[in-house]
């Protein structure tokens, strides 16, 4: 069994890591709980992403006109099906 030292992702303390638990990131369960709570708070405080408007009409087929969700410029989406070479 391989052994090495790692730094805790929460408190930056050094702890013994073994190959028996290779995904271990924290020195203690308390550090893991503190990190988890901090992640939940950051996610709750983050602004929600703006809804991207979909400009094409429902049921629009190939070559339908669309609008770029970032800049609003009109564009045409073309779908190509290329048969497999035999």
């Amino acid at each position: 069994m391989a052994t090495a030292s790692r730094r805790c992702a929460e408190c930056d303390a050094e702890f013994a890591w073994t190959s028996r638990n290779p995904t271990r990131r924290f020195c203690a369960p308390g550090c893991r709980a503190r990190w988890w709570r901090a992640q939940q708070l950051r996610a709750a405080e983050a602004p929600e992403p703006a809804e991207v408007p979909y400009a094409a009409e429902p049921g629009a087929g190939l070559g339908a006109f669309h609008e770029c969700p970032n800049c609003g410029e009109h564009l045409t989406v073309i779908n190509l099906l290329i048969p497999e070479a035999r």
Side-chain angles (χ1 to χ4, degrees):
M1 177 170 35
T3 305
S5 63
R6 279 192 178 173
R7 297 294 222 179
C8 178
E10 176 62 22
C11 67
D12 204 36
E14 196 168 299
F15 67 93
W17 169 87
T18 63
S19 59
R20 189 171 193 182
N21 189 359
T23 59
R24 186 173 175 191
R25 295 176 52 200
F26 305 100
C27 62
C31 280
R32 183 181 53 171
R34 277 191 300 278
W35 179 86
W36 178 257
R37 284 191 297 272
Q39 294 301 312
Q40 297 303 309
L41 286 174
R42 283 187 210 121
E45 293 171 356
E48 291 185 25
E51 189 173 319
V52 178
Y54 184 68
E57 304 87 39
L62 296 176
F65 291 100
H66 298 273
E67 192 173 283
C68 175
N70 296 319
C71 66
E73 187 175 326
H74 292 284
L75 55 108
T76 302
V77 176
I78 300 173
N79 299 329
L80 297 176
L81 297 175
I82 302 173
E84 185 178 311
R86 291 185 181 189

